[in-house]
Amino acid sequence: METIVLKETDASRRLLVAFAHPDDESFGPAGTILHYADQGVAVHLVCGTRGEAGDVEPELLAGYDSLADLRTKELRCAARHLGLSALHILDYRDSGMENTPENQHPGCMLQAPLEEVTERVTRLIRQIRPQVVLTHDPSGGYFHPDHIKMHQATRLAFQAAGDASRFPAQFAEGLAPHQAQKLYYTAFSRRTLKWLTRLLPLFGQDPAAFGRNHDVNIRRIAEVDQAVTTKIQIRPYFEASQRAARCHRSQNDGSARRIFDLLGRLNRFDTFSRAVPPWQNGSVEQDLFAGIEGH
């Protein structure tokens, strides 16, 4: 595991964001990350892999030993634009998309024991001591096996970090139990997704075979039932989030980026689903730190 400290901070509010790949943070809730970093919150990003799976144009690899090196450099670039306090890379291999040969690689995240991944995330929660933890939803957003594994490990680590009986060997490192107060999952607006399935054909895109490698099924994603409990105003951060996204040059499919640029200009909110404390069907939250004690 590698930790890259980007800025020293003694902020009283801390947010830990646990995602699977380089670019998940920039093509996902970048506006929310920028919002909280701008408020002085220490935002820590946990990235499960270095994005080794897939192909890129050969010219982009010039000067790099591997795709992993290129995508790590892109991630560090995005992290600076997002105002992250630190970046933590778990160093599993990218498992590739669902039902691909990369799923069988012995070093990939999908093949790693869930308890092992949970232990690594638990260690980071005990080190960083965040009040709020954010990760992928149970479907992984678009059913990527690494997204689902990171969701499972982070959900378990959220509980394990505060339990003195779990991973006690970490206490010899000077760590102590820590129970974060709130756990959130990313949540796509079904209304937006259904609108996207109608918009994509106008750009010559198949909603069932979207993305750089045509392996993302927007229609399938739109059928996932997610309760949107929390909305964060992100419009002021559109341009900054675009600068972070442009760092991921190897993942920037031209037609897809034009569509996401359009959606980004229209979108006012990042949306999330609160898992802990359980949602009671109240009014939609406007702040991940609402009700947080001790900050």
mmCIF file of all heavy atoms in Angstrom, residues 77-120:
data_model
loop_
_atom_site.group_PDB
_atom_site.id
_atom_site.type_symbol
_atom_site.label_atom_id
_atom_site.label_comp_id
_atom_site.label_asym_id
_atom_site.label_seq_id
_atom_site.Cartn_x
_atom_site.Cartn_y
_atom_site.Cartn_z
ATOM 1 N N CYS A 77 -2.287 13.763 -10.638
ATOM 2 C CA CYS A 77 -2.644 15.038 -11.249
ATOM 3 C C CYS A 77 -4.060 15.436 -10.815
ATOM 4 O O CYS A 77 -4.294 16.568 -10.360
ATOM 5 C CB CYS A 77 -2.562 14.910 -12.769
ATOM 6 S SG CYS A 77 -3.270 16.305 -13.705
ATOM 7 N N ALA A 78 -5.000 14.513 -10.919
ATOM 8 C CA ALA A 78 -6.384 14.798 -10.536
ATOM 9 C C ALA A 78 -6.494 15.110 -9.052
ATOM 10 O O ALA A 78 -7.246 16.003 -8.643
ATOM 11 C CB ALA A 78 -7.274 13.613 -10.900
ATOM 12 N N ALA A 79 -5.742 14.387 -8.244
ATOM 13 C CA ALA A 79 -5.790 14.591 -6.792
ATOM 14 C C ALA A 79 -5.408 16.014 -6.421
ATOM 15 O O ALA A 79 -6.004 16.617 -5.524
ATOM 16 C CB ALA A 79 -4.869 13.587 -6.095
ATOM 17 N N ARG A 80 -4.426 16.571 -7.112
ATOM 18 C CA ARG A 80 -4.015 17.955 -6.827
ATOM 19 C C ARG A 80 -5.129 18.935 -7.203
ATOM 20 O O ARG A 80 -5.402 19.881 -6.473
ATOM 21 C CB ARG A 80 -2.721 18.276 -7.573
ATOM 22 C CG ARG A 80 -1.493 17.562 -7.007
ATOM 23 C CD ARG A 80 -0.217 18.117 -7.606
ATOM 24 N NE ARG A 80 -0.115 17.837 -9.028
ATOM 25 C CZ ARG A 80 0.420 16.736 -9.545
ATOM 26 N NH1 ARG A 80 0.888 15.785 -8.742
ATOM 27 N NH2 ARG A 80 0.481 16.572 -10.847
ATOM 28 N N HIS A 81 -5.766 18.700 -8.345
ATOM 29 C CA HIS A 81 -6.847 19.594 -8.765
ATOM 30 C C HIS A 81 -8.046 19.505 -7.828
ATOM 31 O O HIS A 81 -8.789 20.482 -7.669
ATOM 32 C CB HIS A 81 -7.280 19.262 -10.192
ATOM 33 C CG HIS A 81 -6.334 19.771 -11.243
ATOM 34 N ND1 HIS A 81 -6.165 21.108 -11.503
ATOM 35 C CD2 HIS A 81 -5.512 19.107 -12.103
ATOM 36 C CE1 HIS A 81 -5.279 21.261 -12.473
ATOM 37 N NE2 HIS A 81 -4.865 20.067 -12.851
ATOM 38 N N LEU A 82 -8.251 18.343 -7.220
ATOM 39 C CA LEU A 82 -9.401 18.143 -6.336
ATOM 40 C C LEU A 82 -9.155 18.623 -4.915
ATOM 41 O O LEU A 82 -10.072 18.642 -4.101
ATOM 42 C CB LEU A 82 -9.788 16.660 -6.321
ATOM 43 C CG LEU A 82 -10.346 16.105 -7.631
ATOM 44 C CD1 LEU A 82 -10.537 14.592 -7.525
ATOM 45 C CD2 LEU A 82 -11.663 16.779 -8.009
ATOM 46 N N GLY A 83 -7.918 18.984 -4.603
ATOM 47 C CA GLY A 83 -7.608 19.475 -3.261
ATOM 48 C C GLY A 83 -7.540 18.390 -2.209
ATOM 49 O O GLY A 83 -7.737 18.664 -1.013
ATOM 50 N N LEU A 84 -7.231 17.157 -2.624
ATOM 51 C CA LEU A 84 -7.145 16.062 -1.664
ATOM 52 C C LEU A 84 -6.001 16.284 -0.680
ATOM 53 O O LEU A 84 -4.957 16.835 -1.026
ATOM 54 C CB LEU A 84 -6.910 14.736 -2.389
ATOM 55 C CG LEU A 84 -8.043 14.206 -3.269
ATOM 56 C CD1 LEU A 84 -7.600 12.946 -3.989
ATOM 57 C CD2 LEU A 84 -9.292 13.938 -2.449
ATOM 58 N N SER A 85 -6.216 15.826 0.548
ATOM 59 C CA SER A 85 -5.147 15.878 1.547
ATOM 60 C C SER A 85 -4.154 14.746 1.352
ATOM 61 O O SER A 85 -2.955 14.915 1.566
ATOM 62 C CB SER A 85 -5.746 15.811 2.958
ATOM 63 O OG SER A 85 -6.473 16.994 3.232
ATOM 64 N N ALA A 86 -4.662 13.577 0.957
ATOM 65 C CA ALA A 86 -3.770 12.439 0.745
ATOM 66 C C ALA A 86 -4.454 11.411 -0.143
ATOM 67 O O ALA A 86 -5.683 11.350 -0.235
ATOM 68 C CB ALA A 86 -3.370 11.803 2.075
ATOM 69 N N LEU A 87 -3.624 10.626 -0.776
ATOM 70 C CA LEU A 87 -4.049 9.554 -1.662
ATOM 71 C C LEU A 87 -3.463 8.255 -1.137
ATOM 72 O O LEU A 87 -2.266 8.184 -0.832
ATOM 73 C CB LEU A 87 -3.535 9.855 -3.077
ATOM 74 C CG LEU A 87 -3.690 8.804 -4.165
ATOM 75 C CD1 LEU A 87 -5.158 8.509 -4.420
ATOM 76 C CD2 LEU A 87 -3.009 9.301 -5.447
ATOM 77 N N HIS A 88 -4.281 7.220 -1.015
ATOM 78 C CA HIS A 88 -3.856 5.931 -0.472
ATOM 79 C C HIS A 88 -4.199 4.844 -1.494
ATOM 80 O O HIS A 88 -5.378 4.633 -1.809
ATOM 81 C CB HIS A 88 -4.559 5.643 0.855
ATOM 82 C CG HIS A 88 -4.531 6.793 1.816
ATOM 83 N ND1 HIS A 88 -3.529 6.959 2.756
ATOM 84 C CD2 HIS A 88 -5.385 7.848 1.974
ATOM 85 C CE1 HIS A 88 -3.776 8.055 3.450
ATOM 86 N NE2 HIS A 88 -4.878 8.611 2.995
ATOM 87 N N ILE A 89 -3.197 4.166 -2.023
ATOM 88 C CA ILE A 89 -3.398 3.159 -3.063
ATOM 89 C C ILE A 89 -3.175 1.769 -2.460
ATOM 90 O O ILE A 89 -2.090 1.468 -1.943
ATOM 91 C CB ILE A 89 -2.455 3.394 -4.257
ATOM 92 C CG1 ILE A 89 -2.648 4.814 -4.813
ATOM 93 C CG2 ILE A 89 -2.716 2.359 -5.345
ATOM 94 C CD1 ILE A 89 -1.682 5.192 -5.915
ATOM 95 N N LEU A 90 -4.214 0.920 -2.530
ATOM 96 C CA LEU A 90 -4.132 -0.411 -1.921
ATOM 97 C C LEU A 90 -3.246 -1.367 -2.710
ATOM 98 O O LEU A 90 -2.827 -2.388 -2.184
ATOM 99 C CB LEU A 90 -5.532 -1.006 -1.766
ATOM 100 C CG LEU A 90 -6.522 -0.226 -0.895
ATOM 101 C CD1 LEU A 90 -7.804 -1.042 -0.722
ATOM 102 C CD2 LEU A 90 -5.921 0.115 0.463
ATOM 103 N N ASP A 91 -3.014 -1.075 -3.983
ATOM 104 C CA ASP A 91 -2.087 -1.829 -4.832
ATOM 105 C C ASP A 91 -2.575 -3.213 -5.226
ATOM 106 O O ASP A 91 -1.765 -4.131 -5.440
ATOM 107 C CB ASP A 91 -0.701 -1.926 -4.184
ATOM 108 C CG ASP A 91 0.253 -0.876 -4.746
ATOM 109 O OD1 ASP A 91 0.004 -0.390 -5.858
ATOM 110 O OD2 ASP A 91 1.238 -0.539 -4.070
ATOM 111 N N TYR A 92 -3.876 -3.400 -5.345
ATOM 112 C CA TYR A 92 -4.375 -4.591 -6.021
ATOM 113 C C TYR A 92 -4.335 -4.348 -7.518
ATOM 114 O O TYR A 92 -4.324 -3.195 -7.980
ATOM 115 C CB TYR A 92 -5.808 -4.898 -5.592
ATOM 116 C CG TYR A 92 -5.907 -5.370 -4.160
ATOM 117 C CD1 TYR A 92 -6.397 -4.529 -3.170
ATOM 118 C CD2 TYR A 92 -5.473 -6.637 -3.801
ATOM 119 C CE1 TYR A 92 -6.460 -4.951 -1.850
ATOM 120 C CE2 TYR A 92 -5.534 -7.066 -2.483
ATOM 121 C CZ TYR A 92 -6.026 -6.220 -1.519
ATOM 122 O OH TYR A 92 -6.081 -6.647 -0.214
ATOM 123 N N ARG A 93 -4.347 -5.429 -8.285
ATOM 124 C CA ARG A 93 -4.400 -5.287 -9.738
ATOM 125 C C ARG A 93 -5.849 -5.079 -10.164
ATOM 126 O O ARG A 93 -6.769 -5.632 -9.580
ATOM 127 C CB ARG A 93 -3.840 -6.539 -10.418
ATOM 128 C CG ARG A 93 -3.628 -6.377 -11.917
ATOM 129 C CD ARG A 93 -3.140 -7.657 -12.559
ATOM 130 N NE ARG A 93 -2.704 -7.426 -13.924
ATOM 131 C CZ ARG A 93 -3.531 -7.351 -14.982
ATOM 132 N NH1 ARG A 93 -4.836 -7.487 -14.803
ATOM 133 N NH2 ARG A 93 -3.049 -7.142 -16.189
ATOM 134 N N ASP A 94 -6.033 -4.247 -11.177
ATOM 135 C CA ASP A 94 -7.345 -4.028 -11.759
ATOM 136 C C ASP A 94 -7.901 -5.369 -12.264
ATOM 137 O O ASP A 94 -7.229 -6.100 -12.995
ATOM 138 C CB ASP A 94 -7.200 -3.042 -12.922
ATOM 139 C CG ASP A 94 -8.512 -2.572 -13.509
ATOM 140 O OD1 ASP A 94 -9.558 -3.202 -13.241
ATOM 141 O OD2 ASP A 94 -8.492 -1.574 -14.255
ATOM 142 N N SER A 95 -9.134 -5.679 -11.897
ATOM 143 C CA SER A 95 -9.741 -6.962 -12.282
ATOM 144 C C SER A 95 -10.394 -6.934 -13.655
ATOM 145 O O SER A 95 -10.843 -7.974 -14.150
ATOM 146 C CB SER A 95 -10.808 -7.362 -11.257
ATOM 147 O OG SER A 95 -10.277 -7.409 -9.957
ATOM 148 N N GLY A 96 -10.472 -5.765 -14.284
ATOM 149 C CA GLY A 96 -11.172 -5.695 -15.564
ATOM 150 C C GLY A 96 -12.672 -5.746 -15.370
ATOM 151 O O GLY A 96 -13.184 -5.909 -14.264
ATOM 152 N N MET A 97 -13.386 -5.620 -16.470
ATOM 153 C CA MET A 97 -14.842 -5.608 -16.414
ATOM 154 C C MET A 97 -15.395 -7.006 -16.098
ATOM 155 O O MET A 97 -14.684 -8.010 -16.146
ATOM 156 C CB MET A 97 -15.416 -5.102 -17.737
ATOM 157 C CG MET A 97 -15.192 -3.615 -17.961
ATOM 158 S SD MET A 97 -16.057 -2.562 -16.778
ATOM 159 C CE MET A 97 -17.748 -2.764 -17.331
ATOM 160 N N GLU A 98 -16.665 -7.030 -15.802
ATOM 161 C CA GLU A 98 -17.365 -8.257 -15.425
ATOM 162 C C GLU A 98 -17.195 -9.341 -16.495
ATOM 163 O O GLU A 98 -17.339 -9.098 -17.686
ATOM 164 C CB GLU A 98 -18.851 -7.906 -15.272
ATOM 165 C CG GLU A 98 -19.710 -8.957 -14.649
ATOM 166 C CD GLU A 98 -21.147 -8.474 -14.512
ATOM 167 O OE1 GLU A 98 -21.565 -7.587 -15.297
ATOM 168 O OE2 GLU A 98 -21.845 -8.962 -13.609
ATOM 169 N N ASN A 99 -16.828 -10.545 -16.041
ATOM 170 C CA ASN A 99 -16.722 -11.733 -16.901
ATOM 171 C C ASN A 99 -15.662 -11.593 -18.006
ATOM 172 O O ASN A 99 -15.839 -12.091 -19.118
ATOM 173 C CB ASN A 99 -18.079 -12.071 -17.536
ATOM 174 C CG ASN A 99 -19.144 -12.355 -16.501
ATOM 175 O OD1 ASN A 99 -18.884 -13.041 -15.507
ATOM 176 N ND2 ASN A 99 -20.339 -11.840 -16.712
ATOM 177 N N THR A 100 -14.543 -10.942 -17.680
ATOM 178 C CA THR A 100 -13.424 -10.855 -18.606
ATOM 179 C C THR A 100 -12.260 -11.685 -18.059
ATOM 180 O O THR A 100 -12.224 -12.009 -16.874
ATOM 181 C CB THR A 100 -12.969 -9.396 -18.793
ATOM 182 O OG1 THR A 100 -12.575 -8.855 -17.524
ATOM 183 C CG2 THR A 100 -14.094 -8.553 -19.378
ATOM 184 N N PRO A 101 -11.283 -12.052 -18.897
ATOM 185 C CA PRO A 101 -10.162 -12.866 -18.417
ATOM 186 C C PRO A 101 -9.393 -12.245 -17.262
ATOM 187 O O PRO A 101 -8.853 -12.957 -16.414
ATOM 188 C CB PRO A 101 -9.274 -12.996 -19.669
ATOM 189 C CG PRO A 101 -10.222 -12.854 -20.818
ATOM 190 C CD PRO A 101 -11.254 -11.862 -20.361
ATOM 191 N N GLU A 102 -9.344 -10.890 -17.198
ATOM 192 C CA GLU A 102 -8.619 -10.230 -16.118
ATOM 193 C C GLU A 102 -9.181 -10.577 -14.735
ATOM 194 O O GLU A 102 -8.482 -10.473 -13.722
ATOM 195 C CB GLU A 102 -8.661 -8.708 -16.306
ATOM 196 C CG GLU A 102 -7.784 -8.196 -17.432
ATOM 197 C CD GLU A 102 -8.536 -8.123 -18.755
ATOM 198 O OE1 GLU A 102 -9.654 -8.707 -18.839
ATOM 199 O OE2 GLU A 102 -8.018 -7.499 -19.696
ATOM 200 N N ASN A 103 -10.439 -11.022 -14.687
ATOM 201 C CA ASN A 103 -11.057 -11.408 -13.410
ATOM 202 C C ASN A 103 -10.308 -12.542 -12.729
ATOM 203 O O ASN A 103 -10.416 -12.716 -11.508
ATOM 204 C CB ASN A 103 -12.507 -11.878 -13.614
ATOM 205 C CG ASN A 103 -13.470 -10.794 -14.042
ATOM 206 O OD1 ASN A 103 -14.636 -11.081 -14.291
ATOM 207 N ND2 ASN A 103 -13.023 -9.554 -14.158
ATOM 208 N N GLN A 104 -9.567 -13.333 -13.516
ATOM 209 C CA GLN A 104 -8.894 -14.523 -12.981
ATOM 210 C C GLN A 104 -7.443 -14.278 -12.582
ATOM 211 O O GLN A 104 -6.787 -15.185 -12.068
ATOM 212 C CB GLN A 104 -8.949 -15.658 -14.018
ATOM 213 C CG GLN A 104 -10.351 -15.997 -14.494
ATOM 214 C CD GLN A 104 -11.301 -16.284 -13.341
ATOM 215 O OE1 GLN A 104 -10.948 -17.016 -12.409
ATOM 216 N NE2 GLN A 104 -12.506 -15.718 -13.390
ATOM 217 N N HIS A 105 -6.930 -13.080 -12.794
ATOM 218 C CA HIS A 105 -5.537 -12.805 -12.439
ATOM 219 C C HIS A 105 -5.367 -12.952 -10.927
ATOM 220 O O HIS A 105 -6.145 -12.382 -10.148
ATOM 221 C CB HIS A 105 -5.148 -11.394 -12.870
ATOM 222 C CG HIS A 105 -3.683 -11.123 -12.799
ATOM 223 N ND1 HIS A 105 -3.013 -10.940 -11.605
ATOM 224 C CD2 HIS A 105 -2.750 -11.017 -13.781
ATOM 225 C CE1 HIS A 105 -1.736 -10.721 -11.836
ATOM 226 N NE2 HIS A 105 -1.546 -10.754 -13.153
ATOM 227 N N PRO A 106 -4.362 -13.710 -10.461
ATOM 228 C CA PRO A 106 -4.231 -13.967 -9.017
ATOM 229 C C PRO A 106 -3.989 -12.724 -8.174
ATOM 230 O O PRO A 106 -4.267 -12.721 -6.971
ATOM 231 C CB PRO A 106 -3.053 -14.935 -8.924
ATOM 232 C CG PRO A 106 -2.296 -14.761 -10.209
ATOM 233 C CD PRO A 106 -3.342 -14.434 -11.239
ATOM 234 N N GLY A 107 -3.470 -11.659 -8.780
ATOM 235 C CA GLY A 107 -3.195 -10.450 -8.012
ATOM 236 C C GLY A 107 -4.297 -9.414 -8.067
ATOM 237 O O GLY A 107 -4.163 -8.342 -7.474
ATOM 238 N N CYS A 108 -5.394 -9.736 -8.760
ATOM 239 C CA CYS A 108 -6.424 -8.721 -8.942
ATOM 240 C C CYS A 108 -7.290 -8.584 -7.693
ATOM 241 O O CYS A 108 -7.350 -9.459 -6.836
ATOM 242 C CB CYS A 108 -7.277 -9.018 -10.171
ATOM 243 S SG CYS A 108 -8.515 -10.318 -9.958
ATOM 244 N N MET A 109 -7.976 -7.474 -7.620
ATOM 245 C CA MET A 109 -8.788 -7.166 -6.444
ATOM 246 C C MET A 109 -9.920 -8.172 -6.256
ATOM 247 O O MET A 109 -10.258 -8.543 -5.125
ATOM 248 C CB MET A 109 -9.348 -5.755 -6.563
ATOM 249 C CG MET A 109 -9.940 -5.224 -5.267
ATOM 250 S SD MET A 109 -10.280 -3.457 -5.379
ATOM 251 C CE MET A 109 -10.803 -3.155 -3.703
ATOM 252 N N LEU A 110 -10.493 -8.629 -7.357
ATOM 253 C CA LEU A 110 -11.592 -9.596 -7.262
ATOM 254 C C LEU A 110 -11.147 -10.880 -6.591
ATOM 255 O O LEU A 110 -11.905 -11.492 -5.834
ATOM 256 C CB LEU A 110 -12.145 -9.894 -8.666
ATOM 257 C CG LEU A 110 -13.287 -10.903 -8.725
ATOM 258 C CD1 LEU A 110 -14.492 -10.423 -7.912
ATOM 259 C CD2 LEU A 110 -13.687 -11.162 -10.175
ATOM 260 N N GLN A 111 -9.921 -11.311 -6.840
ATOM 261 C CA GLN A 111 -9.421 -12.567 -6.273
ATOM 262 C C GLN A 111 -8.892 -12.407 -4.853
ATOM 263 O O GLN A 111 -8.658 -13.403 -4.161
ATOM 264 C CB GLN A 111 -8.319 -13.131 -7.174
ATOM 265 C CG GLN A 111 -8.788 -13.554 -8.557
ATOM 266 C CD GLN A 111 -9.821 -14.663 -8.511
ATOM 267 O OE1 GLN A 111 -9.757 -15.551 -7.655
ATOM 268 N NE2 GLN A 111 -10.785 -14.619 -9.424
ATOM 269 N N ALA A 112 -8.690 -11.199 -4.388
ATOM 270 C CA ALA A 112 -8.175 -10.983 -3.034
ATOM 271 C C ALA A 112 -9.225 -11.399 -2.012
ATOM 272 O O ALA A 112 -10.421 -11.133 -2.190
ATOM 273 C CB ALA A 112 -7.804 -9.522 -2.834
ATOM 274 N N PRO A 113 -8.825 -12.047 -0.905
ATOM 275 C CA PRO A 113 -9.797 -12.379 0.148
ATOM 276 C C PRO A 113 -10.471 -11.108 0.671
ATOM 277 O O PRO A 113 -9.803 -10.099 0.922
ATOM 278 C CB PRO A 113 -8.932 -13.038 1.230
ATOM 279 C CG PRO A 113 -7.706 -13.516 0.512
ATOM 280 C CD PRO A 113 -7.466 -12.521 -0.583
ATOM 281 N N LEU A 114 -11.766 -11.157 0.822
ATOM 282 C CA LEU A 114 -12.499 -9.989 1.299
ATOM 283 C C LEU A 114 -11.988 -9.532 2.660
ATOM 284 O O LEU A 114 -11.893 -8.330 2.921
ATOM 285 C CB LEU A 114 -13.994 -10.306 1.374
ATOM 286 C CG LEU A 114 -14.907 -9.174 1.871
ATOM 287 C CD1 LEU A 114 -14.765 -7.928 1.009
ATOM 288 C CD2 LEU A 114 -16.357 -9.654 1.896
ATOM 289 N N GLU A 115 -11.613 -10.476 3.521
ATOM 290 C CA GLU A 115 -11.108 -10.119 4.839
ATOM 291 C C GLU A 115 -9.816 -9.323 4.727
ATOM 292 O O GLU A 115 -9.570 -8.402 5.523
ATOM 293 C CB GLU A 115 -10.881 -11.380 5.672
ATOM 294 C CG GLU A 115 -10.432 -11.137 7.112
ATOM 295 C CD GLU A 115 -11.555 -10.730 8.047
ATOM 296 O OE1 GLU A 115 -12.652 -10.375 7.554
ATOM 297 O OE2 GLU A 115 -11.341 -10.753 9.267
ATOM 298 N N GLU A 116 -8.985 -9.648 3.757
ATOM 299 C CA GLU A 116 -7.726 -8.926 3.558
ATOM 300 C C GLU A 116 -7.986 -7.485 3.119
ATOM 301 O O GLU A 116 -7.373 -6.539 3.650
ATOM 302 C CB GLU A 116 -6.887 -9.638 2.500
ATOM 303 C CG GLU A 116 -5.586 -8.939 2.154
ATOM 304 C CD GLU A 116 -4.875 -9.627 1.009
ATOM 305 O OE1 GLU A 116 -4.357 -10.742 1.220
ATOM 306 O OE2 GLU A 116 -4.855 -9.054 -0.110
ATOM 307 N N VAL A 117 -8.884 -7.302 2.168
ATOM 308 C CA VAL A 117 -9.197 -5.948 1.707
ATOM 309 C C VAL A 117 -9.835 -5.151 2.844
ATOM 310 O O VAL A 117 -9.516 -3.969 3.057
ATOM 311 C CB VAL A 117 -10.129 -5.985 0.484
ATOM 312 C CG1 VAL A 117 -10.324 -4.559 -0.069
ATOM 313 C CG2 VAL A 117 -9.582 -6.896 -0.609
ATOM 314 N N THR A 118 -10.700 -5.802 3.600
ATOM 315 C CA THR A 118 -11.339 -5.147 4.740
ATOM 316 C C THR A 118 -10.310 -4.686 5.764
ATOM 317 O O THR A 118 -10.400 -3.580 6.308
ATOM 318 C CB THR A 118 -12.349 -6.106 5.409
ATOM 319 O OG1 THR A 118 -13.350 -6.476 4.457
ATOM 320 C CG2 THR A 118 -13.007 -5.457 6.611
ATOM 321 N N GLU A 119 -9.304 -5.527 6.017
ATOM 322 C CA GLU A 119 -8.255 -5.162 6.975
ATOM 323 C C GLU A 119 -7.502 -3.917 6.518
ATOM 324 O O GLU A 119 -7.197 -3.029 7.335
ATOM 325 C CB GLU A 119 -7.288 -6.330 7.162
ATOM 326 C CG GLU A 119 -6.279 -6.154 8.274
ATOM 327 C CD GLU A 119 -5.004 -5.412 7.837
ATOM 328 O OE1 GLU A 119 -4.727 -5.401 6.618
ATOM 329 O OE2 GLU A 119 -4.322 -4.835 8.709
ATOM 330 N N ARG A 120 -7.221 -3.820 5.232
ATOM 331 C CA ARG A 120 -6.483 -2.657 4.723
ATOM 332 C C ARG A 120 -7.310 -1.378 4.850
ATOM 333 O O ARG A 120 -6.778 -0.315 5.221
ATOM 334 C CB ARG A 120 -6.078 -2.892 3.268
ATOM 335 C CG ARG A 120 -5.059 -4.012 3.094
ATOM 336 C CD ARG A 120 -4.554 -4.109 1.674
ATOM 337 N NE ARG A 120 -3.671 -5.265 1.506
ATOM 338 C CZ ARG A 120 -3.002 -5.538 0.393
ATOM 339 N NH1 ARG A 120 -3.105 -4.740 -0.655
ATOM 340 N NH2 ARG A 120 -2.228 -6.606 0.323
#
